[in-house]
C-alpha cells in the first residue's frame, strides 16, 4: 500500500511515523512549508513536496491531516484521485470530502505533541467511509496501528470530540491555572504532579462521578469562601472557581 501524508503538524507527524514503523510505504509528505515537509519526510524516508499539484495520483491512501478549515480546500485538489482520501478531524463531517470518489475519516482520539512519543497500539481510532470497499481498506490500515478501532459516524464523532475537549483541553488549561496560582504564591507546580497522576489513575477503574473529592462535593462552604478570598486579586480565576464549584454541587445533589 502506498500512502501520501498531507500535512506535517502534530497528528500528521505521529500518524506518518506510526505507519512507517508498521512497514507501510509512505511515499510523499506535503506541507505548505517545504521545510516542515522535509523534516517529516526525512524521518519516514519519503518525498517532501509543497505543491498540491505534485501529489502522486496513484497512491492507495491519502491522509489529510491539516487544520479543519483547510480540509475542504486541500481536498479540492484531489478530485481526480481514485485512491481512498481520509481526513483526521474529530469535528469535521465526512461530507467535507463528498466531492471525491472514495473518502472517509481516520480520527485518532488522543492528544498529540511532536516532541512526545505515543504508542498507537492503545490509541482509539474512529473510522468512517462512504462505501464498503473503502471501509475494508481503512479498517486494515487502522488495524495495523491500533487494536481499539471503532466505526463511528460523523455525528457521534463530533460528540466524542466535544467530550475530549472537556476531558483533555479544558483539564490541561486548569493545570495551567493551577500553575499560575502556585507561582503567584511562590510555590512549585511540581508538588501537584502526584495529585494529578492519582486523579487520572482513579478514572481508569471508576466512573468520574464516583471518585469526586474536594470542598464542593462536601458542601464545605467555609473552605470555599477561604479559597475565593485568596483569589480576590485574580477575578477570572475566582469566577472559574465559582462556576466549577456550582457545577460539582449541582451534580452531586
Amino acid at each position: 500500500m502506498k500512502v501520501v501524508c498531507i500535512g506535517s503538524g502534530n497528528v500528521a507527524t505521529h500518524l506518518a511515523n506510526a505507519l512507517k514503523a508498521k512497514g507501510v510505504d509512505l511515499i510523499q509528505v506535503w506541507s505548505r512549508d517545504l521545510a516542515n515537509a522535509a523534516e517529516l519526510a526525512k524521518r519516514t524516508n519519503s518525498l517532501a513536496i509543497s505543491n498540491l499539484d505534485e501529489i502522486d495520483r496513484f497512491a492507495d491512501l491519502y491522509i489529510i491531516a491539516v487544520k479543519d478549515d483547510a480540509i475542504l480546500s486541500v481536498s479540492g485538489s484531489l478530485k481526480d484521485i481514485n485512491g481512498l482520501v481520509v481526513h483526521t478531524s474529530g469535528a469535521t463531517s465526512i461530507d467535507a470530502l463528498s466531492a471525491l470518489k472514495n473518502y472517509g475519516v481516520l480520527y485518532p482520539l488522543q492528544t498529540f505533541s511532536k516532541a512526545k512519543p505515543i504508542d498507537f497500539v492503545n490509541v482509539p481510532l474512529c473510522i468512517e467511509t462512504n462505501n464498503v470497499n473503502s471501509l475494508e481498506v481503512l479498517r486494515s490500515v487502522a488495524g495495523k496501528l491500533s487494536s481499539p478501532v471503532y466505526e463511528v459516524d460523523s455525528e457521534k464523532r463530533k460528540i466524542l470530540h466535544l467530550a475530549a475537549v472537556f476531558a483533555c483541553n479544558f483539564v490541561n488549561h486548569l493545570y495551567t491555572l493551577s500553575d499560575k496560582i502556585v507561582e503567584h504564591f511562590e510555590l512549585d507546580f511540581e508538588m501537584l504532579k502526584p495529585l494529578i497522576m492519582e486523579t487520572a489513575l482513579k478514572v481508569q477503574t471508576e466512573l468520574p462521578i464516583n471518585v469526586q473529592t474536594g470542598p464542593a462535593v462536601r458542601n464545605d462552604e467555609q473552605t470555599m469562601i477561604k479559597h475565593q478570598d485568596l483569589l480576590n486579586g485574580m477575578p477570572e480565576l475566582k469566577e472559574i472557581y465559582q462556576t466549577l464549584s456550582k457545577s460539582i454541587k449541582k451534580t452531586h445533589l
Side-chain angles (χ1 to χ4, degrees), residues 15-24 43-44 144-145:
L15 270 175
N17 287 333
L19 287 167
K20 193 66 181 178
K22 295 298 182 179
V24 175
R43 295 182 197 172
T44 56
K144 289 178 182 292
L145 298 175

Side-chain angles (χ1 to χ4, degrees), residues 59-98:
D60 302 292
L61 176 64
Y62 301 79
I63 300 175
I64 302 176
V66 298
K67 292 180 180 179
D68 289 9
D69 58 7
I71 291 173
L72 197 58
S73 61
V74 168
S75 65
S77 301
L78 305 174
K79 289 182 179 178
D80 61 332
I81 293 293
N82 287 318
L84 174 59
V85 181
V86 300
H87 71 64
T88 60
S89 169
T92 304
S93 171
I94 189 176
D95 295 337
L97 304 178
S98 60

Side-chain angles (χ1 to χ4, degrees), residues 19 34 56 61 72 82 88 90 98 113 116 136 142-143 148 158 172 182 187 213 224-225 231 243:
L19 287 167
L34 186 58
D56 189 297
L61 176 64
L72 197 58
N82 287 318
T88 60
S98 60
S113 300
K116 177 72 168 59
E136 290 304 313
K158 289 177 186 176
N172 190 72
V182 293
L187 291 164
T213 60
M224 287 189 285
I225 290 170
L231 294 172
T243 299

Side-chain angles (χ1 to χ4, degrees), residues 186-253:
E186 299 181 348
L187 291 164
D188 192 344
F189 183 74
E190 196 71 25
M191 297 170 69
L192 293 171
K193 289 183 179 180
L195 173 65
I196 291 169
M197 183 63 71
E198 179 62 21
T199 304
L201 288 173
K202 281 182 179 180
V203 298
Q204 305 306 310
T205 55
E206 299 285 346
L207 288 173
I209 195 170
N210 293 334
V211 293
Q212 183 70 52
T213 60
V217 75
R218 297 193 306 267
N219 200 27
D220 185 348
E221 294 291 343
Q222 292 302 314
T223 296
M224 287 189 285
I225 290 170
K226 291 175 183 177
H227 286 170
Q228 291 174 73
D229 287 343
L230 287 169
L231 294 172
N232 281 336
M234 307 176 185
E236 290 185 5
L237 270 66
K238 185 174 183 178
E239 183 179 356
I240 292 170
Y241 183 97
Q242 292 170 338
T243 299
L244 291 178
S245 295
K246 182 179 179 181
S247 180
I248 291 170
K249 287 197 289 185
K250 185 177 180 180
T251 300
H252 290 269
L253 281 176

